[in-house]
Amino acid sequence: MELADEELMQLVGRGDPRAFEVVYERHSGAAFSLAYRMTGKRVTAEEVVQEAFLALWRTNARYDRARGSVRTWILGIVHNRAIDALRRGMVHDRRRASDEGIEERFESRDRTDVEAARHDEAREVRDALGTLPAEQLKVIELAYFGGFTHSEIAKMLDTPIGTVKGRMRLGLAKMRDQLGPGREAFA
Amino acid sequence: MMDTDHDELRDSAGPWVLGALDDDDAWRFAAHLEVCASCREEVESLRVAAAALPLAAPPVEPPPALKARLMNIVQAEAEERRAASAGAAGPAGAASRWRTWFGALQARPALAAGLATLLIVAGGLAGFAARGGGGSSTRTSAALVDQHRAPGARAQLVEGAGGTQLRVTNMPAPARGHVYQVWVVERPGSAPRPDAVFTVDRAGRGSVGVRGIVAGARQVLVTQERDGGASAPTTSPVIMVKPA
């Protein structure tokens, strides 16, 4: 019988490498995709994902169910680590990996049901993002995937700070509406 | 005035859930959230969208070598943990390594003297000033900070109903490729248990939840370790706290 993520995390907390391996198998794809999207470099993305999963293992997996799903939690760690990497200047020549620009794709493995579901969700989220006005999409992407603060973005785009904040809020609200009810599952 | 403040602050909900507010604005918005139910609702509703964002990253498979590397480390550390818990009476294991490390520290007069100076400096600033919390359920313990490596830095350990947090201010960023790691020393001479890792923001502020049981622990330490943390301290502590 397949264990739920939450049950696996308890085993990871007790130092069970097999449970860790299953958690890695389930979430490393999304984790690596996020790290690569943010850093634009495969080597850095590997470092970020390795750091994130080792932190999960070595700190006995401080997972709090109240804060959302295991996936959201892991991706949060990866996101923070990637921002740390960007701000430490590990990525000097940052290039943005875009849907069209990725040249370093790895051969896809046979898709499991979990992976297929993830790909469907990814498409749904990208569709929702695609409905945003370009200026809202830009500030959200720069903030989330670029790790820039709102004032850095304001300078970069030569736009008032208040406008940048407003675009972020309105864009997220529209995206939430596009995703529709029941999307709490993402969190 | 309140309405103007509110209208202005409401837009911070977007960058707040994206983690993109500058430090000053983040503190200001955090304070506003304490008193504004409407903005708390807004934050919760936007969080759903923000939580979906990582899924928009185009799918890229991690290389198999990454898993192999990770599993090698994990298997080795699991084995080490098993050996340490099975052979508590033996000389091997993290506890003895810690004693060795501490012994080495004591055997190095310059370093030990430096540490003593630091304790006095930090003691002048804060000491082990444990506050009872004045009727609240929160206990705060001030920390000793190595003022040579972290000049002007302060740290405190806050124990409350929701858990224990280590908070730092004015801490220098860890060296490139490194993080700060928390350790809990439960008893005198026992091996420090690895706990959370953290970094600090550009203003030197940081906070991290401490997972281990702090109440009754001998000490909580912070060392600088390589990214991903370590299973035993490899450097001398930059922060020491004796929990209240």
Side-chain angles (χ1 to χ4, degrees):
Chain A
M1 193 181 73
E2 264 199 5
L3 291 178
D5 281 351
E6 291 74 14
E7 295 167 309
L8 286 167
M9 291 311 297
Q10 289 181 1
L11 294 173
V12 172
R14 288 180 218 144
D16 184 337
R18 284 169 304 176
F20 174 86
E21 186 173 10
V22 178
V23 171
Y24 178 85
E25 279 295 327
R26 282 186 192 170
H27 301 293
S28 59
F32 190 76
S33 302
L34 174 61
Y36 185 68
R37 172 69 177 83
M38 291 180 71
T39 63
K41 291 198 171 183
R42 198 174 75 187
V43 172
T44 312
E46 283 186 40
E47 287 170 5
V48 165
V49 171
Q50 178 166 324
E51 278 176 28
F53 276 92
L54 277 182
L56 178 155
W57 165 254
R58 286 174 174 163
T59 59
N60 292 337
R62 186 186 166 86
Y63 167 66
D64 179 0
R65 186 186 293 245
R67 287 186 172 182
S69 68
V70 170
R71 181 178 62 184
T72 299
W73 179 68
I74 291 173
L75 293 178
I77 298 173
V78 170
H79 185 247
N80 288 336
R81 293 283 171 146
I83 287 180
D84 286 347
L86 292 172
R87 291 188 176 173
R88 281 199 306 262
M90 279 171 64
V91 185
H92 297 293
D93 179 24
R94 254 156 93 189
R95 84 179 157 74
R96 294 272 171 255
S98 67
D99 290 31
E100 300 78 34
I102 291 178
E103 294 158 6
E104 297 178 285
R105 287 180 191 276
F106 294 87
E107 290 298 317
S108 277
R109 296 168 300 189
D110 293 338
R111 280 193 186 181
T112 63
D113 289 346
V114 173
E115 285 167 336
R118 181 163 71 78
H119 283 251
D120 288 345
E121 280 179 335
R123 190 176 305 111
E124 198 181 338
V125 175
R126 283 200 294 274
D127 287 348
L129 277 171
T131 67
L132 302 187
E135 65 274 14
Q136 292 176 3
L137 179 63
K138 181 95 175 167
V139 293
I140 289 173
E141 287 195 325
L142 285 171
Y144 187 80
F145 292 113
F148 294 105
T149 67
H150 74 279
S151 59
E152 288 169 335
I153 294 169
K155 264 187 211 155
M156 200 182 302
L157 302 179
D158 196 17
T159 304
I161 281 179
T163 306
V164 169
K165 286 182 177 177
R167 284 176 182 170
M168 286 180 187
R169 184 173 71 81
L170 293 172
L172 287 171
K174 180 162 190 190
M175 189 184 159
R176 173 202 61 209
D177 295 342
Q178 290 293 321
L179 290 171
R183 298 327 300 181
E184 286 74 13
F186 283 118
Chain B
M1 182 66 182
M2 281 297 290
D3 285 342
T4 310
D5 278 354
H6 171 80
D7 290 345
E8 187 194 326
L9 284 165
R10 186 175 174 226
D11 274 342
S12 292
W16 172 264
V17 298
L18 292 170
L21 277 181
D22 285 339
D23 297 330
D24 288 346
D25 281 31
W27 288 112
R28 193 166 163 232
F29 189 61
H32 178 66
L33 281 178
E34 293 286 324
V35 297
C36 181
S38 146
C39 281
R40 284 200 299 274
E41 271 178 38
E42 178 78 355
V43 160
E44 284 314 306
S45 88
L46 296 183
R47 212 184 282 287
V48 176
L53 281 172
L55 303 180
V60 187
E61 294 297 333
L66 174 58
K67 180 184 171 187
R69 274 203 309 275
L70 264 171
M71 289 312 299
N72 277 342
I73 297 170
V74 164
Q75 294 283 9
E77 291 184 1
E79 193 57 44
E80 195 175 306
R81 286 183 201 177
R82 273 195 294 273
S85 59
S96 66
R97 276 206 309 279
W98 170 246
R99 283 192 289 273
T100 303
W101 176 86
F102 199 72
L105 177 67
Q106 291 169 320
R108 289 164 66 188
L111 188 51
L115 187 57
T117 309
L118 305 175
L119 297 183
I120 292 164
V121 170
L125 290 172
F128 284 125
R131 288 203 303 269
S136 87
S137 59
T138 301
R139 288 187 301 179
T140 303
S141 310
L144 302 173
V145 181
D146 181 334
Q147 294 293 314
H148 282 301
R149 284 185 292 167
R154 299 271 186 119
Q156 59 177 199
L157 193 70
V158 182
E159 297 170 74
T164 302
Q165 268 208 332
L166 180 76
R167 296 174 187 165
V168 299
T169 53
N170 287 328
M171 280 290 283
R176 183 174 168 177
H178 290 71
V179 291
Y180 290 117
Q181 182 163 10
V182 179
W183 307 88
V184 178
V185 182
E186 292 175 348
R187 294 178 305 282
S190 68
R193 282 184 170 277
D195 210 288
V197 293
F198 67 100
T199 57
V200 294
D201 64 20
R202 280 166 296 178
R205 278 190 292 248
S207 69
V208 65
V210 180
R211 183 188 166 278
I213 299 166
V214 167
R218 175 81 172 167
Q219 278 183 328
V220 173
L221 310 171
V222 175
T223 62
Q224 194 171 142
E225 304 293 344
R226 288 191 63 78
D227 278 339
S231 53
T234 62
T235 62
S236 59
V238 66
I239 293 173
M240 291 180 170
V241 193
K242 180 173 168 43

